[in-house]
Amino acid sequence: MDLSFDGRVAVVTGAGGGLGRAHALELGRRGARVVVNDMGTSLSGDGLERDRAAIVVKEIEERGGIAVADTNSVATVAGGQAVIETALSAFGRVDIVVNNAGILRDKTFHNTSPDDVDPVLDVHLKGAFNVTRPAWARFREQGFGRVVVTSSSAGFFGNFGQSSYAAAKLALVGLIKVLAIEGAKYDIKANAIGPVAQTRMTEGFDNPLADHLDPALVSAVVGYLCHDSCELSGEILSAGGGRVARVFIGVTRGYLNGRLTAEDVRDHLAEIFDDAGYQVPENSMAEMTLLADLLGK
């Protein structure tokens, strides 16, 4: 059975191009009414092309869908509130938030200044807070909601010259972990994607796989994570080129010594790093269960 979004309202930030556009088109073609949010800035967050969101709206409408444009900035509390108000004003509800908006200000760490860090955190990390928080109240009231954040392998594994970007992207994982816990009893699911796609963010990089990295292949994953039938929450899915994989944070059984010294750590690294029998805790307290087991408590 096809996954339909009839009756659902989706907000997609940074939807004027690349991955966001692909997500908006995917949700729109499946029946969702879509708020296409995009200020029309450059990759660095400068300049304005206000018609970018409107162009994607037209594309959705030409395919038989329903959408409205929004050009508010997600980087401020007021802007995030205004994005959700656009959904409420146009469609009377909001069911889905896809936090995709992002900018790049890549520099090696020793060359990075606050002017390079703050805007990146404002858009990627605070932007997700600013848009999701006003939607959250609606989700709780209606007993349904879906949140998807756009994380990155740069955050999971690191990447040269992307300290601020990587920090923001991994912080989003912490956000969805908490949202998954707090939203569970309201049927609110929150998940993260680590996309691999050929977009303007990756133009200029010599990538032999570029022809295989259609953003629509990532949007298929987003579509599932946004659907009513999705039971996943607090998960991270890597998506690109038609491949989907789980990324997870696990913990090894480790080494236990009630009189632990620095020398013990040095001498038992093999046990500390032995990943046989690792666990993936459901929350921070779940790791305490492992310690209790080792202590025989």
Side-chain angles (χ1 to χ4, degrees), residues 10-14 23 27 96-101 146-150 193 222 226:
V11 171
V12 184
T13 68
H23 302 339
L27 293 169
I96 298 161
V97 171
V98 180
N99 292 292
N100 172 78
R146 295 291 183 266
V147 179
V148 177
V149 301
T150 307
I193 58 166
V222 172
C226 291

Side-chain angles (χ1 to χ4, degrees), residues 148-173:
V148 177
V149 301
T150 307
S151 190
S152 172
S153 59
F156 311 148
F157 311 118
N159 198 37
F160 186 88
Q162 291 196 308
S163 57
S164 59
Y165 179 81
K169 288 304 191 184
L170 191 56
L172 287 170
V173 171

Side-chain angles (χ1 to χ4, degrees), residues 79-161:
Q81 179 71 51
V83 174
I84 299 305
E85 287 298 333
T86 295
L88 298 177
S89 176
F91 304 122
R93 62 183 294 125
V94 59
D95 303 286
I96 298 161
V97 171
V98 180
N99 292 292
N100 172 78
I103 62 172
L104 287 177
R105 295 199 178 182
D106 293 352
K107 286 185 179 179
T108 54
F109 186 67
H110 76 280
N111 286 323
T112 299
S113 73
D115 290 338
D116 303 311
V117 175
D118 292 345
V120 173
L121 297 181
D122 286 345
V123 176
H124 290 276
L125 180 56
K126 292 183 181 179
F129 274 88
N130 294 337
V131 177
T132 305
R133 284 190 71 254
W136 193 259
R138 295 284 175 160
F139 292 169
R140 284 167 52 97
E141 290 171 4
Q142 65 201 21
F144 178 87
R146 295 291 183 266
V147 179
V148 177
V149 301
T150 307
S151 190
S152 172
S153 59
F156 311 148
F157 311 118
N159 198 37
F160 186 88

Side-chain angles (χ1 to χ4, degrees), residues 1-2 82 120 177 181 290:
M1 185 180 296
D2 290 343
V120 173
K177 291 290 186 181
I181 295 167
L290 175 58

